[in-house]
Amino acid sequence: MRCIVLFVMFCLLSCAVFADEERPADDGKEGSELRLVIMGPPGAGKGTQAEKISKQYGIAHISTGAILRAEVAKGSKLGHQVEETMKKGELVTDDTVLRLVEERLRDPDCRDGFILDGFPRTIAQAEGLEKILERQHRGPVSVIDLVVPDEALSKRLLARGRADDTEETIKNRIRVYHENTAPLIAYYKKRGQLIRVNGDQPIADVFSTIMSELTPPE
Ligand code: AP5
Ligand code: MG
C-alpha cells in the first residue's frame, strides 16, 4: 500500500514539474513578469525614467547604450568595433544589439521583468525582439513613448555633456532617430502596445504620468 501511495505521489510531482516547464511565463497568473520598452528621441529622459521604473517595480533596467559604452570603456573587441559609430551618433548594427539583448534577457535579474531603454531602435530590431521573446516563451512588451520636442532635447544634452553630446553629434542622433526609430511609433500603435507620455514636463511629473498609465484604475 505504501508503495502505491509513493508511486502516485511521484507521478503527481513529475506532472507538476513538467507542466511548469511547458507553461509560458505570460500566463496571467501570479508572479507574471512586467515587460516594458521605453522609447523616445535622444535626451527624452529614457534613462532617467527607466531607472525610476526599474526601482519601483524591482525589474531589470537594460540600456543598450550603457552596455555598449561599457564595452568601449573596457576596450573590448566589440567596444573597438562600435566606438566610431557611437561617436558619430549612428546606429550600431541590428545583429549586434539583438545578440546583446537576447543574452541579457536570460540573466536571472530579468525573471520578474525588464525595461528596455534605447532598444528597439529600428523595425528590424522590433521584429527581432518579438522572435527573442517567443524563443524565451515570453509575451509581448508594452511600449512607453516619451514625447519631447526637438528644441528641448539639444538643450538637455548639451547641459549633460556625455562623450556623444556635442552639437554636431546631437544633430545627427536626432536625425537618425526621426529616420530609423520614429517609425516604431506607428508599428507599436497598430499592435495596441503603445503608451504615449508627455516627456516635456518636470522629471517627477513624467514619472507620475507613467505610473498612472501603467497602473489600471481600481
Ligand atoms: P543611448 O545611450 O540610448 O542614447 P540616446 O538614445 O541618444 O539617448 P540618451 O541616453 O542621450 O538620452 P535619454 O533619453 O536616455 O535621456 P536621459 O534620461 O539621459 O545610445 C547611444 C548610442 O549607442 C546611439 O547613438 C547608438 O550609436 C548606440 N545604440 C544604443 N542602442 C542602440 C540600438 N538599439 N541600436 C543601435 N545602436 C544603438 O536625459 C538626458 C538629460 O536630460 C539628463 O541630463 C537628464 O538629467 C535630463 N532630463 C531627463 N528628463 C528630463 C526632464 N523631464 N526635464 C528636464 N531634464 C531632463
Ligand atoms: Mg539614455
Side-chain angles (χ1 to χ4, degrees):
M1 183 62 187
R2 226 163 92 203
C3 280
I4 296 172
V5 172
L6 280 172
F7 178 71
V8 171
M9 277 171 69
F10 172 76
C11 288
L12 286 173
L13 203 68
S14 313
C15 284
V17 169
F18 184 69
D20 202 41
E21 267 174 13
E22 289 295 297
R23 197 180 68 214
D26 186 42
D27 58 3
K29 294 208 179 100
E30 213 177 71
S32 65
E33 58 176 19
L34 186 59
R35 293 172 302 273
L36 299 174
V37 161
I38 189 156
M39 64 172 285
K46 301 183 292 294
T48 305
Q49 297 299 329
E51 200 186 324
K52 291 164 93 57
I53 296 165
S54 129
K55 279 206 185 108
Q56 176 77 24
Y57 292 114
I59 56 174
H61 173 193
I62 305 174
S63 157
T64 42
I67 296 173
L68 293 166
R69 276 187 292 281
E71 293 296 323
V72 173
K74 267 196 282 183
S76 67
K77 191 175 156 207
L78 173 62
H80 285 299
Q81 282 167 3
V82 300
E83 191 168 7
E84 266 314 297
T85 309
M86 292 178 77
K87 215 181 257 171
K88 286 190 261 173
E90 298 289 335
L91 293 184
V92 168
T93 65
D94 292 334
D95 282 352
T96 305
V97 282
L98 281 164
R99 202 163 27 82
L100 288 175
V101 168
E102 178 149 27
E103 237 171 72
R104 181 65 183 87
L105 285 174
R106 282 201 212 101
D107 288 343
D109 68 324
C110 296
R111 212 186 42 202
D112 293 333
F114 54 82
I115 177 156
L116 289 162
D117 155 11
F119 172 92
R121 251 175 156 96
T122 62
I123 299 282
Q125 288 180 21
E127 289 168 351
L129 174 63
E130 270 161 38
K131 292 201 184 96
I132 291 172
L133 294 173
E134 263 170 44
R135 281 198 285 276
Q136 297 188 1
H137 305 290
R138 294 171 126 147
V141 286
S142 297
V143 180
I144 302 159
D145 176 39
L146 294 178
V147 186
V148 181
D150 286 359
E151 309 80 72
L153 303 172
S154 338
K155 226 161 105 189
R156 286 185 190 180
L157 294 174
L158 285 170
R160 181 181 61 184
R162 203 169 70 191
D164 55 350
D165 288 340
T166 62
E167 222 159 308
E168 196 189 353
T169 305
I170 292 170
K171 226 162 122 188
N172 198 37
R173 281 158 63 199
I174 296 175
R175 182 193 60 78
V176 168
Y177 165 80
H178 285 295
E179 215 168 286
N180 300 281
T181 311
L184 286 176
I185 298 170
Y187 178 92
Y188 282 122
K189 191 174 177 197
K190 204 167 128 195
R191 287 163 173 74
Q193 289 170 264
L194 193 73
I195 302 166
R196 297 204 94 181
V197 169
N198 175 14
D200 193 16
Q201 39 176 350
I203 292 173
D205 295 353
V206 179
F207 183 61
S208 56
T209 311
I210 295 173
M211 284 300 109
S212 65
E213 291 286 343
L214 290 178
T215 320
E218 300 268 312

